[in-house]
Amino acid sequence: MLKLVDLSRTDLNLLVLFEVVLDERHVGRAADRLNLSPSAVSHGLGRLRRLLNDPLFLRTPKGVVPTARAVELAAPIAEVLARVRSVISTAEPFDPASSARRFTIGAPDGVSAVFLPPLLDELRRTAPNIDLGVRQLLPVPGETSPERAWRNAFADLEVRAMDIAVVPSEHIPTRFHSRGLYEEDFVVAMRAGHPFAVDPTPERYCEMRHLVVSLTGDPHGFVDEALAKQGYSRRVALTVPNFMFALAAIAGTDLISALPRRFVAIHAAHFGVITVEAPLPLPRFRLNAVAPKVAMMDAGLAWLFGILGKAQSSASELDRHPPRRIPIS
């Protein structure tokens, strides 16, 4: 670790120089990008070598190659620079039409696949230079308490590892700002022509081979809890780690799966998958966008949070005009 006195004497531009040289692998090209002379870049590299106690870049006939230490430092330095750039960008008045910021949103994949299409469409129209990163969020394995199942997502929000989380939970700590996006329930999805669609009774449902979305491979889910309350059980023949994989798997097999209604409505047609109503009551849940209240002082983040609300309008439109079911062949 660098001492405080060392940091006070460190030029942040040296990290920018490191980033560009690593990208170009050539001192001359790096100098052109930085609007510096090659000698100035070489001098900066000398200061970096002394600061980091490593040669960092070794000369070759075609340019330079990074040392093992330079490769090791690449990701941490990129993260430092990204955070600094983000801090500086938030200090300027936020104008979505001209802003080139990047935001990170976390959500389960079955959720992000619902709100992303309308969000990206809105960004294309009103904020064409804003970029997004999407993180896959998952509940804490084995955690049955709703208020604790998404605690890792709340922790990541507080350390600004992401800007907004979209989670299927009503248990939001008071230090967070939240907004409901839409409500979701489940339907039973299967390939076109599946015999279950002709006779979707609870008994037939339990006779089928089922697919469950589970990152850990645990086959027991909320459907099994609902079945047990009515004295039923089922066979889970396959678990997969995400919802898109689930659609691909059931499209080419006789497996059936309980999947989020809106997710399937948007993406099932690409896989030739159809749906029927579940033959037993399954839980409904509300999707909430969440961000730390203190972070909402950032005008850019507050704007994005508001734009996400358009996903709620899109979801309501699906309620009013549900997609037509693909006919059974």
Side-chain angles (χ1 to χ4, degrees):
M1 295 290 291
L2 292 175
K3 297 179 181 179
L4 184 58
V5 64
D6 296 323
L7 287 175
S8 70
R9 298 173 182 172
T10 299
D11 184 355
L12 185 62
N13 287 319
L14 292 178
L15 300 186
V16 177
L17 185 147
F18 174 92
E19 181 182 58
V20 175
V21 173
L22 182 67
D23 186 42
E24 294 290 346
R25 308 294 172 98
H26 193 279
V27 170
R29 289 195 298 268
D32 289 340
R33 276 181 57 179
L34 294 167
N35 293 317
L36 297 172
S37 66
S39 62
V41 171
S42 296
H43 177 69
L45 286 176
R47 293 172 62 194
L48 261 178
R49 290 177 178 120
R50 292 189 294 273
L51 178 67
L52 299 175
N53 196 29
D54 188 87
L56 296 178
F57 297 98
L58 304 177
R59 292 186 180 278
T60 72
K62 294 185 178 181
V64 295
V65 295
T67 64
R69 176 62 173 155
V71 172
E72 180 183 298
L73 289 170
I77 288 177
E79 182 178 354
V80 167
L81 290 175
R83 288 181 176 272
V84 171
R85 287 166 179 146
S86 177
V87 169
I88 293 173
S89 67
T90 59
E92 302 173 350
F94 180 76
D95 177 11
S98 60
S99 175
R101 288 182 62 179
R102 171 178 288 273
F103 296 96
T104 301
I105 302 175
D109 81 296
V111 175
S112 58
V114 172
F115 71 71
L116 267 179
L119 176 60
L120 291 174
D121 190 48
E122 182 65 20
L123 292 179
R124 178 184 58 81
R125 291 195 305 269
T126 63
N129 296 315
I130 285 180
D131 297 324
L132 293 180
V134 177
R135 290 183 52 186
Q136 165 81 318
L137 294 186
L138 296 162
V140 176
E143 182 59 75
T144 58
S145 171
E147 60 268 29
R148 292 183 56 79
W150 299 98
R151 64 179 185 270
N152 290 345
F154 297 136
D156 284 349
L157 284 171
E158 289 190 299
V159 299
R160 300 304 299 271
M162 59 186 171
D163 298 294
I164 297 173
V166 181
V167 293
S169 175
E170 296 283 2
H171 300 271
I172 311 299
T174 57
R175 63 188 181 279
F176 292 94
H177 179 73
S178 67
R179 175 176 182 173
L181 296 184
Y182 63 91
E183 288 194 354
E184 184 66 285
D185 64 348
F186 284 77
V187 292
V188 180
M190 68 212 76
R191 64 167 175 81
H194 197 292
F196 177 70
V198 179
D199 184 26
T201 64
E203 290 76 16
R204 288 275 292 153
Y205 181 75
C206 294
E207 292 171 2
M208 297 294 108
R209 297 164 64 243
H210 292 253
L211 177 151
V212 168
V213 176
S214 169
L215 182 69
T216 63
D218 181 1
H220 190 83
F222 68 89
V223 171
D224 300 282
E225 299 290 337
L227 287 171
K229 290 179 181 177
Q230 300 192 29
Y232 293 111
S233 63
R234 62 174 178 167
R235 175 192 170 190
V236 175
L238 177 67
T239 66
V240 297
N242 59 64
F243 288 98
M244 281 297 186
F245 195 170
L247 282 179
I250 63 178
T253 67
D254 281 334
L255 297 169
I256 66 174
S257 183
L259 298 176
R261 182 185 300 272
R262 288 183 177 81
F263 166 75
V264 177
I266 294 171
H267 299 285
H270 298 296
F271 296 88
V273 167
I274 63 168
T275 65
V276 298
E277 296 296 324
L280 70 161
L282 295 179
R284 293 180 63 90
F285 54 88
R286 186 172 182 81
L287 275 301
N288 287 296
V290 183
K293 287 181 178 178
V294 65
M296 293 294 289
M297 297 175 65
D298 175 350
L301 179 57
W303 172 84
L304 181 63
F305 203 91
I307 291 297
L308 255 178
K310 291 185 178 295
Q312 184 177 17
S313 299
S314 176
S316 298
E317 188 65 22
L318 276 173
D319 278 338
R320 290 192 293 272
H321 305 288
R324 296 175 61 188
R325 181 182 299 171
I326 301 173
I328 305 297
S329 59

